[in-house]
Amino acid sequence: MSIWREIAALPPAVRLLLVNQLGVNTGFYLLIPYLAVHLSEDLGMSAAVVGTVLGVRSLSQQGLFVIGGSASDRLGARRVIIAGCALRTAGFALFALGDGIVVLLAASVLSGMAGALFNPAVRAHLAQEAGERKAEAFALFNVFATTGALVGPLLGSVLLLADFRAAALTAAGIFAVLTVAQALVLPPGRVARTTNGVFADWREVAANRPFMAFACAMVSMVALESQLYLLLPDGARRATGWDGAAGPVFLVGTLAGLAFQLRITRALKRRGSRSTWIAAGLALMAAAFLPPMLVTSGAPPDAAPSQAVLRAVPVLAGALLLQTGLMVAQPFVMELIPEFGRGGLTGTYFGVFYVVSGIAAALGNAAVGWAMDTGQRIGAGWLPWACCLVLGLVSAAGITRLHRRGALPRRPVPLSAHA
């Protein structure tokens, strides 16, 4: 079955959510990768101020995921998705219209809150609407998200030939169109009636020991994925001596995701359990840091272009392995999360999972950064790569242990199989 037939077989609401994610990532990556340069070079802000503005955006998103998830459960995913896109429209418009620190902080808060609202809501809505095709739906969700992450920076680089304001207004316009489209077309979804308070819901999720153990065991997935933007680009530059070597690293992973994500998910779903493939994906992500370690721990490269190309191959192989492991694990992780609890808390479960993942990514990047500095200072270039390798293997072992103890939900057997 081709990717287009797979999309056509999904419910209309799921197809709209896929297109929505394409637009969300296009608008986001059109602007955010260039924000730091705009603040420092165009507005002349210090590194401390730039870090504050970017940190406020990240904190507003990661810290409020559980709010967005709970709002999705109680108000309906449709309303929360629309509200999130409207807030993102306002936030990105403020980036275009103001250059004072107060306006920029307000823009950062609004754009971060927007992500905290629609990220768990979109995933909860997708899980509700996809039925038994959750794994395929989330695989396609990754494909559309990856496409947006590829198109956005390219479009942004073209718009920046005019100025940053043109890029920011275009990004705001994309989110405005998405807001209107969702209001007109997106179905309401299901809202479970409950007499519990929000805090009672949070306590219920936090008291779900298998789920919390799963969320903690999965911390390496997001933490290692973020190394596509930190450790691997730095390793590519160190291995080749070329500042532009980070581009091919990102491109290899992106193209692999577009070409193989759906095929891998369909093939693995027919054989083996979800927890087995999640553990295997994490192990692959861990192994991704072995090839680059071989060429980034020794002496710097000579000036010969052929030598630089040869030294780039292990780093690109690492990027490809990392993306492959992510393609193996992530759709089954997304499919598994709603099955830990009752249906009325799907958004809350996604929200809590992403809060834990966000904290892990922040701590993981800080630890990898420390390992990079320390390794460079003491002549142990292998140190950050070894840290990532160990983190991935520990997570894979944790998932394997949970599976053997029967702590993870099992996929229901279809009625046709019983017949």
Side-chain angles (χ1 to χ4, degrees), residues 27-36 54 57 88 92 95 111:
F28 181 84
Y29 287 101
L30 185 158
L31 180 71
I32 294 300
Y34 307 107
L35 180 58
L54 298 179
R57 192 210 67 80
R88 182 62 63 82
F92 279 9
F95 278 126
S111 59

Side-chain angles (χ1 to χ4, degrees), residues 203-301:
R203 286 195 298 270
E204 180 180 336
V205 175
N208 189 329
R209 295 177 65 183
F211 169 72
M212 295 305 298
F214 175 75
C216 291
M218 287 303 306
V219 295
S220 73
M221 187 176 76
V222 176
L224 296 186
E225 180 188 6
S226 65
Q227 301 317 309
L228 281 168
Y229 310 100
L230 177 61
L231 182 57
L232 281 164
D234 181 77
R237 287 190 292 267
R238 291 182 182 278
T240 63
W242 175 42
D243 288 340
V249 168
F250 179 72
L251 188 62
V252 163
T254 301
L255 295 179
L258 293 176
F260 302 113
Q261 174 67 84
L262 185 60
R263 297 178 184 179
I264 288 174
T265 302
R266 281 203 309 242
L268 298 183
K269 186 177 179 179
R270 294 192 292 265
R271 52 181 69 87
S273 66
R274 293 175 294 189
S275 51
T276 299
W277 295 125
I278 291 171
L282 293 172
L284 276 176
M285 294 180 75
F289 296 91
L290 280 174
M293 189 190 304
L294 303 176
V295 294
T296 58
S297 303

Side-chain angles (χ1 to χ4, degrees), residues 67-151:
I67 303 291
S70 293
S72 172
D73 292 333
R74 291 172 173 273
L75 302 177
R78 176 180 179 274
R79 294 178 181 178
V80 178
I81 294 170
I82 293 171
C85 281
L87 278 179
R88 182 62 63 82
T89 302
F92 279 9
L94 278 180
F95 278 126
L97 301 177
D99 54 9
I101 185 62
V102 175
V103 175
L104 291 171
L105 287 175
S108 294
V109 170
L110 286 176
S111 59
M113 288 176 59
L117 287 176
F118 61 64
N119 275 329
V122 164
R123 286 159 177 79
H125 205 20
L126 193 69
Q128 289 176 348
E129 297 293 333
E132 295 183 358
R133 303 177 70 85
K134 288 186 184 70
E136 292 88 343
F138 279 111
L140 286 168
F141 187 82
N142 288 348
V143 170
F144 276 74
T146 301
T147 303
L150 180 63
V151 172

Side-chain angles (χ1 to χ4, degrees), residues 41 54 272 310 348 352 354 369 379:
E41 296 186 3
L54 298 179
L310 288 176
T348 305
V352 171
Y354 276 104

